[in-house]
Amino acid sequence: MPEAERLAARRRLSVAQGHLQSIVRMLDEPEVYCVDVLRQIKAVQGALDGAGNVVLRGHLQAHVATAGERGDTAEIVEELMQALKYR
């Protein structure tokens, strides 16, 4: 994975981790407001989706775009189809 994408994905995952920790702390409070918890869960999902997009972009740039030059187009297409199952 290209370094820029690796670092960007790590930043986004750190954000998700911070949001997730805040959700856990919120749930320790007996009077937590459900909508606030849902809002934080959505923030975690957004951060995870963003990290996934960054990783996918890095894969496309580093591997898929150059598959023709390497001669492994069929393998890369199959790998990409497998990766997209997780999206």
Side-chain angles (χ1 to χ4, degrees):
M1 178 182 315
E3 184 174 4
E5 282 74 16
R6 186 178 54 80
L7 294 174
R10 189 181 194 309
R11 278 191 302 273
R12 289 176 182 264
L13 289 173
S14 292
V15 168
Q17 183 178 31
H19 282 297
L20 190 56
Q21 289 171 344
S22 75
I23 294 169
V24 171
R25 284 191 303 273
M26 290 171 73
L27 293 172
D28 288 337
E29 299 297 323
E31 299 300 319
V32 65
Y33 187 53
C34 300
V35 174
D36 291 339
V37 173
L38 291 170
R39 188 175 295 123
Q40 289 300 315
I41 290 171
K42 191 65 173 173
V44 170
Q45 290 171 333
L48 292 174
D49 286 344
N53 288 338
V54 168
V55 171
L56 179 59
R57 178 179 296 278
H59 181 69
L60 292 172
Q61 291 172 340
H63 302 288
V64 176
T66 59
E69 297 167 10
R70 290 189 315 270
D72 61 353
T73 305
E75 293 86 358
I76 290 294
V77 167
E78 184 57 35
E79 182 181 82
L80 183 58
M81 293 305 294
Q82 292 297 316
L84 290 175
K85 287 182 181 179
Y86 303 108
R87 299 281 311 143

